[in-house]
Amino acid sequence: MSSSRLEAFSDGVLAIVITVMVLGLAVPKGDGWADLLHTSGLGLLTYLLSFVYIGIYWNNHHHLFQLHPTVSGGVLWANLHLLFWLSLYPFTTAWLTETRVALVPTVVYGLNLLGAAIAYSILQNTMARQPGGERVREAFGRDLKGWVSPALYVLGIALAFIVPWLALLPFIAVAIIWLVPDRRVERYLKAHQDAPGEDDAA
Amino acid sequence: MSSSRLEAFSDGVLAIVITVMVLGLAVPKGDGWADLLHTSGLGLLTYLLSFVYIGIYWNNHHHLFQLHPTVSGGVLWANLHLLFWLSLYPFTTAWLTETRVALVPTVVYGLNLLGAAIAYSILQNTMARQPGGERVREAFGRDLKGWVSPALYVLGIALAFIVPWLALLPFIAVAIIWLVPDRRVERYLKAHQDAPGEDDAA
Amino acid sequence: MSSSRLEAFSDGVLAIVITVMVLGLAVPKGDGWADLLHTSGLGLLTYLLSFVYIGIYWNNHHHLFQLHPTVSGGVLWANLHLLFWLSLYPFTTAWLTETRVALVPTVVYGLNLLGAAIAYSILQNTMARQPGGERVREAFGRDLKGWVSPALYVLGIALAFIVPWLALLPFIAVAIIWLVPDRRVERYLKAHQDAPGEDDAA
Amino acid sequence: MSSSRLEAFSDGVLAIVITVMVLGLAVPKGDGWADLLHTSGLGLLTYLLSFVYIGIYWNNHHHLFQLHPTVSGGVLWANLHLLFWLSLYPFTTAWLTETRVALVPTVVYGLNLLGAAIAYSILQNTMARQPGGERVREAFGRDLKGWVSPALYVLGIALAFIVPWLALLPFIAVAIIWLVPDRRVERYLKAHQDAPGEDDAA
């Protein structure tokens, strides 16, 4: 089965998750800079952070399915599992913002990030075990980045119990690490001069 | 006519239905675990349930149109009819949650699930009667699962009149039955070594 | 230029317009049938009506671009113009519902329907005047249905000044007229055995 | 890498941004023309303005990726950067409307427009520097329009400090300039009789 419809559906969910988060931004009652900063300042920062995460997942998802554009029933559900965690971002981001980075909301936000990271690993492994999955295995063989993210999320959750704001440091670090574009797939495809077929062009 | 645009439109509606349900999740006023549990606990559970249903419909829809990728005017409307019922999920899920599983909202939720199941049957039958529909008829010949779901929804609606919470048991059972991936289409395609044509690649 | 991206964008907007209207449905405060009927009864009816309109536009849009799958800059803007009117449906539907079909909101709703119908005519004419547009001209030559709809909308707006509810009769009549699937494009394509080319498969 | 999925994702975000802005339109409490004018009149105007901007970006984006349908990791992030600015339109448009065009919200709206314009330039330049980017460089060589827009946004921001409403004049001027369809890409493609390949048909 071709992955094109799975990709389209995932794109739709991610596009909406991003945009729905903006709906969570409270519009200031007043009309001054102080109102904007006070009502929406933190919200804009957490929105930016969650936007970057969604962008990272979209980029990685895009790369992953370019390596391996056919899917089985197991991949369909592994993908829906990932989308479930990502669809909760607007909810946990809103709670984090409205409580001004209190302890429990920070932990819950971290657990949401962690859940999505684990779901992404499951998706990648499910695809690697499929027929044709050796391309995924080779390209992501020493998947250092894939392990650093969950570790940093766990660190953030732990730091939250000291001072909740501290948790944001490792969370932000993950975003920065991934913003450096992941060239592994491009390098792999170039090295093998082996495009995944006409499916990609469509 | 090719089904690609029908699929894209359906994907869009389903993706938005899923994400819109998250907007219905009330963000806790307080910042403790008890606040989360009390304000959003039930909402997260009903969201998960409705998410799984939408995921199931998306998977089945995906399989159905892979078997039979051309559509007539009748299929367009049968599909819109299904989307209408699915688009009501955020509304009935929200009412179910806000009334903490009261009698009438549970019955209405069950009727919504039942309406979508019937609409899906109509869609499948409409496609089976089209030219080329014998593939659909053969793959879904003894469609046990297709009959068990409506029966369980009716059972749930009946149980709601005893204790509303009881209705959730058959509703959850449907989700679990379908989570076991439906291999009929994959098996059929493999058995016939007969891919639905270049349409799929696109 | 190929119309595929224009179609995808339009599908996205229409899918969201449909789903956003559900967000406008007020969830009943109470948990009885009377609460549902009183809070959401009218809203469900107007939602159904607007859903059918959007479905009709989607179907017709789909048929139109199958006849003529290349687009110029003028078509891009004629299409955006149509989407603008359609994007206002959630707003005018909500006002109609919340005022329980008062005079001015009914007139505004009718003007919104009329605006979309005119925008659709402009789009169709823009495409008919393009190179290759003779297919559109031939298929929609005696466009009776295309003229009946605006006439009925104008009639509805006029009737609203007698009793607002009366306006709904011609509005509903338009929906019923179009629900009978438009076989003109299918008939034309069959008669000419002249599929619009490989673009469709994609 | 093919740009098709990047285009689909961008279409999704833009389609939702447009539709989400309608959610920001307050539905009048009363049911007269005065209520509509007072509650929603300004909102409808700012919605129309922001709708036109999004339409312009969609059109230009569409043209840009038709010239150069392959993308690198850098383009993915330049595109996400643009989408970030565009996703803020519903927020800044709502603030502008609710404060009835006060000073700071007008400046913030102008900064949002400016940010999107700069992000678009970055995207265009990133694509021009890629292998195959000479097509982009040639088509947009003397990019007068691309420089006029930011200049008018800056002018608008400056005028806001005199009278906020004045800022809307240059903002509206930008919309009008771009509404005149950009024929450069069509002209370039015609001159070179050099379609970007089968990718476009898909």
Side-chain angles (χ1 to χ4, degrees):
Chain A
M1 257 180 238
S2 145
S3 70
S4 58
R5 198 172 161 189
L6 181 148
E7 293 176 58
F9 182 69
S10 308
D11 283 358
V13 172
L14 294 186
I16 302 158
V17 166
I18 275 179
T19 327
V20 154
M21 279 193 290
V22 175
L23 285 176
L25 281 177
V27 175
K29 295 280 175 231
D31 60 8
W33 290 108
D35 299 298
L36 180 65
L37 191 71
H38 184 259
T39 312
S40 318
L42 180 61
L44 284 165
L45 280 181
T46 55
Y47 170 58
L48 176 60
L49 188 61
S50 294
F51 183 98
V52 170
Y53 287 133
I54 298 288
I56 289 165
Y57 276 108
W58 182 77
N59 272 8
N60 290 352
H61 197 269
H62 181 63
H63 281 97
L64 182 60
F65 282 91
Q66 269 200 316
L67 268 183
H68 190 4
T70 59
V71 295
S72 67
V75 172
L76 294 183
W77 279 108
N79 189 58
L80 280 169
H81 178 228
L82 171 64
L83 295 180
F84 176 75
W85 287 101
L86 296 178
S87 76
L88 291 176
Y89 277 29
F91 173 74
T92 55
T93 304
W95 198 30
L96 181 75
T97 308
E98 288 176 19
T99 61
R100 311 237 132 215
V101 194
L103 172 59
V104 179
T106 308
V107 172
V108 168
Y109 186 68
L111 290 173
N112 192 1
L113 298 178
L114 186 60
I118 292 172
Y120 189 81
S121 289
I122 292 174
L123 173 62
Q124 193 172 293
N125 288 334
T126 309
M127 292 183 71
R129 280 197 310 269
Q130 278 197 295
E134 63 280 355
R135 290 167 65 95
V136 175
R137 282 196 299 276
E138 285 171 36
F140 294 102
R142 309 171 307 282
D143 194 359
L144 188 64
K145 251 170 161 183
W147 282 107
V148 165
S149 310
L152 283 170
Y153 292 145
V154 170
L155 176 67
I157 293 168
L159 286 175
F161 287 94
I162 306 171
V163 180
W165 279 90
L166 273 182
L168 297 185
L169 294 182
F171 294 171
I172 292 168
V174 173
I176 291 169
I177 289 174
W178 281 102
L179 270 171
V180 181
D182 192 345
R183 303 231 180 270
R184 282 174 298 176
V185 170
E186 288 175 44
R187 216 183 302 129
Y188 178 87
L189 286 178
K190 197 172 242 167
H192 290 66
Q193 289 297 359
D194 175 18
E198 274 90 89
D199 295 294
D200 270 335
Chain B
M1 257 182 237
S2 146
S3 70
S4 58
R5 198 171 162 191
L6 180 148
E7 292 177 57
F9 182 69
S10 307
D11 283 358
V13 172
L14 294 186
I16 302 157
V17 166
I18 275 180
T19 328
V20 155
M21 279 193 290
V22 174
L23 285 176
L25 281 178
V27 175
K29 295 280 173 230
D31 62 7
W33 291 107
D35 299 299
L36 179 67
L37 192 72
H38 183 260
T39 312
S40 319
L42 180 61
L44 284 165
L45 280 181
T46 55
Y47 171 58
L48 176 60
L49 189 62
S50 294
F51 183 98
V52 170
Y53 286 132
I54 299 288
I56 289 166
Y57 277 108
W58 182 76
N59 271 9
N60 290 351
H61 198 270
H62 181 62
H63 281 96
L64 183 60
F65 282 90
Q66 269 200 314
L67 268 183
H68 190 6
T70 60
V71 295
S72 67
V75 171
L76 294 184
W77 280 108
N79 189 58
L80 280 169
H81 178 229
L82 171 63
L83 294 181
F84 177 75
W85 286 101
L86 295 179
S87 76
L88 291 176
Y89 276 30
F91 174 72
T92 55
T93 305
W95 199 28
L96 181 74
T97 308
E98 287 177 21
T99 61
R100 311 238 132 214
V101 194
L103 172 59
V104 178
T106 308
V107 171
V108 168
Y109 186 67
L111 289 172
N112 192 0
L113 299 178
L114 186 61
I118 292 171
Y120 189 81
S121 289
I122 292 174
L123 173 63
Q124 193 172 293
N125 288 333
T126 309
M127 293 184 71
R129 281 197 310 269
Q130 277 196 297
E134 62 280 354
R135 293 166 62 94
V136 174
R137 280 197 300 277
E138 284 171 36
F140 294 101
R142 307 171 309 282
D143 193 0
L144 188 64
K145 250 170 159 182
W147 282 107
V148 165
S149 310
L152 283 170
Y153 292 144
V154 170
L155 176 66
I157 292 169
L159 286 175
F161 286 94
I162 307 172
V163 180
W165 279 89
L166 273 182
L168 297 186
L169 294 182
F171 293 172
I172 292 169
V174 173
I176 291 169
I177 288 174
W178 282 101
L179 269 171
V180 181
D182 193 345
R183 303 231 180 271
R184 282 176 297 178
V185 171
E186 287 174 45
R187 216 184 301 129
Y188 177 87
L189 286 178
K190 197 172 244 169
H192 290 66
Q193 290 296 1
D194 175 19
E198 274 90 87
D199 293 295
D200 271 336
Chain C
M1 261 179 236
S2 146
S3 69
S4 58
R5 199 173 161 188
L6 179 147
E7 293 178 55
F9 182 68
S10 307
D11 282 359
V13 172
L14 294 186
I16 302 156
V17 166
I18 275 180
T19 327
V20 155
M21 279 194 290
V22 174
L23 285 176
L25 281 177
V27 175
K29 294 278 174 231
D31 60 9
W33 290 107
D35 300 297
L36 180 65
L37 192 71
H38 184 260
T39 313
S40 319
L42 180 61
L44 285 165
L45 280 180
T46 55
Y47 170 58
L48 176 60
L49 189 61
S50 294
F51 183 97
V52 170
Y53 287 131
I54 299 288
I56 289 165
Y57 276 108
W58 182 77
N59 271 9
N60 290 350
H61 198 269
H62 181 62
H63 281 95
L64 183 60
F65 282 91
Q66 269 201 314
L67 269 182
H68 190 4
T70 59
V71 295
S72 67
V75 171
L76 293 183
W77 279 108
N79 189 57
L80 280 169
H81 178 229
L82 172 63
L83 294 181
F84 176 74
W85 287 101
L86 296 179
S87 75
L88 291 175
Y89 277 30
F91 173 74
T92 56
T93 304
W95 199 30
L96 181 75
T97 308
E98 286 176 19
T99 62
R100 312 238 131 214
V101 194
L103 172 58
V104 179
T106 308
V107 171
V108 168
Y109 186 67
L111 290 172
N112 192 359
L113 299 178
L114 186 60
I118 292 171
Y120 189 81
S121 288
I122 292 173
L123 173 63
Q124 192 173 292
N125 288 333
T126 309
M127 293 184 71
R129 281 197 310 269
Q130 277 196 296
E134 62 281 353
R135 291 166 63 94
V136 174
R137 280 197 299 278
E138 285 171 37
F140 295 101
R142 307 170 308 282
D143 194 0
L144 187 65
K145 252 169 158 183
W147 281 107
V148 165
S149 308
L152 283 170
Y153 292 144
V154 170
L155 176 66
I157 293 168
L159 286 175
F161 286 95
I162 308 172
V163 181
W165 279 88
L166 273 182
L168 298 186
L169 294 182
F171 293 172
I172 292 170
V174 173
I176 291 170
I177 289 174
W178 281 102
L179 269 172
V180 181
D182 193 345
R183 303 230 180 272
R184 282 176 298 179
V185 171
E186 289 175 45
R187 215 184 301 130
Y188 177 86
L189 286 178
K190 196 171 244 168
H192 291 65
Q193 290 297 1
D194 176 17
E198 274 90 86
D199 294 293
D200 269 338
Chain D
M1 260 179 237
S2 147
S3 69
S4 57
R5 199 172 161 189
L6 180 147
E7 293 179 56
F9 183 70
S10 308
D11 283 359
V13 171
L14 295 187
I16 301 158
V17 166
I18 276 180
T19 327
V20 153
M21 279 193 290
V22 174
L23 285 176
L25 281 178
V27 175
K29 295 280 175 228
D31 60 9
W33 290 107
D35 299 297
L36 180 66
L37 191 71
H38 183 260
T39 312
S40 320
L42 179 61
L44 284 165
L45 280 181
T46 54
Y47 171 58
L48 176 59
L49 189 61
S50 294
F51 183 98
V52 170
Y53 286 131
I54 298 287
I56 289 164
Y57 277 108
W58 182 77
N59 271 9
N60 291 352
H61 197 269
H62 181 63
H63 282 96
L64 183 60
F65 282 91
Q66 270 201 315
L67 268 182
H68 190 3
T70 58
V71 296
S72 67
V75 171
L76 293 184
W77 279 108
N79 188 58
L80 280 168
H81 178 229
L82 171 63
L83 294 181
F84 176 76
W85 286 101
L86 296 179
S87 75
L88 291 176
Y89 277 29
F91 174 75
T92 55
T93 304
W95 199 30
L96 181 74
T97 308
E98 287 175 19
T99 61
R100 312 237 131 216
V101 193
L103 172 59
V104 179
T106 308
V107 171
V108 168
Y109 186 67
L111 290 173
N112 192 1
L113 299 177
L114 186 61
I118 292 170
Y120 189 81
S121 289
I122 292 173
L123 173 63
Q124 193 172 292
N125 288 334
T126 308
M127 292 184 70
R129 281 197 310 269
Q130 277 196 294
E134 63 280 354
R135 291 166 65 93
V136 174
R137 281 197 299 277
E138 285 171 38
F140 295 101
R142 310 171 305 283
D143 194 0
L144 189 63
K145 252 168 158 184
W147 282 106
V148 166
S149 309
L152 283 170
Y153 292 143
V154 170
L155 175 66
I157 293 168
L159 286 175
F161 287 94
I162 307 171
V163 181
W165 279 89
L166 273 182
L168 298 186
L169 294 182
F171 293 171
I172 292 169
V174 173
I176 291 170
I177 290 174
W178 281 102
L179 270 170
V180 181
D182 193 345
R183 302 231 180 271
R184 282 175 298 179
V185 172
E186 288 174 44
R187 216 183 302 130
Y188 178 86
L189 286 178
K190 197 171 242 167
H192 291 66
Q193 288 297 1
D194 175 17
E198 273 90 87
D199 293 294
D200 269 337

